[in-house]
Amino acid sequence: MILVGAGLIFVALAATIFLPKGDIPVQGNEELGFTPAAVNYTAPKLNLIDVGGDSVSLTDYRGQVVLVNNWATWCPPCKAEMPDLETYFQAHKDDGFTLIGISAGDTQEQVAGFMQAYGITFPMWLDPDESALAAFKTMNLPSSFVIDPTGTVRLAWTGAISLENLEKFVTPLLNE
């Protein structure tokens, strides 16, 4: 055990001496450099149930700019981005924009409780079998996709979104 401990101390010291100093760029929100990928493909046809138990379809939102946010109640970056998503939704819901949160695997009770705790007012859909993740060809949470009024996915994000990046990348689509 003493040899193992000494070895770990040696590795830590060597890393401190030989690894480069300074900031290491990390992808994350605006402060950390997360930006969406520009994409161009037809939005998938999604038919799910919302948190109130009603059938909903992504095609019902044609004519609007839609941000689909795949998330889960247990996901720390998902929780972190929710206040910015709600703020952006409130600022732009009258501008031809909607935001749809799609909860991957959570129950109706979990999602309703989360919405109440975080003050979420945008539409929230349930995805018990993670079909939305499959439809958007991702398994990452959070992941977001911005769909233009014609039903074309124009932006794709993996990771938490900041309010600054929403304004920078989504707002111009509202003005097209």
Side-chain angles (χ1 to χ4, degrees):
M1 289 301 232
I2 292 173
L3 288 176
V4 171
L8 289 174
I9 291 171
F10 175 75
V11 169
L13 287 173
T16 302
I17 293 168
F18 295 110
L19 287 179
K21 307 291 186 269
D23 293 332
I24 298 171
V26 178
Q27 292 216 339
N29 58 23
E30 175 70 9
E31 301 83 59
L32 301 177
F34 250 170
T35 57
V39 296
N40 185 359
Y41 60 90
T42 302
K45 291 180 172 58
L46 279 178
N47 297 298
L48 296 170
I49 303 295
D50 69 14
V51 73
D54 297 319
S55 294
V56 287
S57 176
L58 194 52
T59 58
D60 293 341
Y61 292 87
R62 286 280 164 87
Q64 295 183 49
V65 173
V66 178
L67 187 148
V68 172
N69 177 257
N70 294 294
W71 70 285
T73 59
W74 53 262
C75 167
C78 300
K79 292 176 185 180
E81 73 180 352
M82 284 295 165
D84 283 353
L85 291 172
E86 178 64 25
T87 298
Y88 190 82
F89 173 70
Q90 288 299 323
H92 295 285
K93 66 182 179 181
D94 296 328
D95 300 334
F97 172 78
T98 198
L99 195 155
I100 301 169
I102 302 180
S103 176
D106 294 314
T107 66
Q108 187 274 341
E109 294 79 18
Q110 290 170 315
V111 174
F114 184 94
M115 291 178 71
Q116 183 175 13
Y118 281 76
I120 303 300
T121 63
F122 54 82
M124 198 63 76
W125 298 2
L126 305 176
D127 188 14
D129 62 358
E130 301 179 0
S131 60
L133 292 173
F136 280 103
K137 297 179 175 40
T138 185
M139 291 308 292
N140 297 309
L141 294 177
S143 61
S144 298
F145 302 87
V146 179
I147 304 166
D148 73 14
T150 68
T152 302
V153 179
R154 301 271 301 273
L155 299 171
W157 260 286
T158 298
I161 299 176
S162 68
L163 184 58
E164 294 80 13
N165 269 344
L166 289 165
E167 291 292 353
K168 182 177 180 179
F169 294 102
V170 180
T171 302
L173 295 176
L174 298 175
N175 300 321
E176 285 185 356

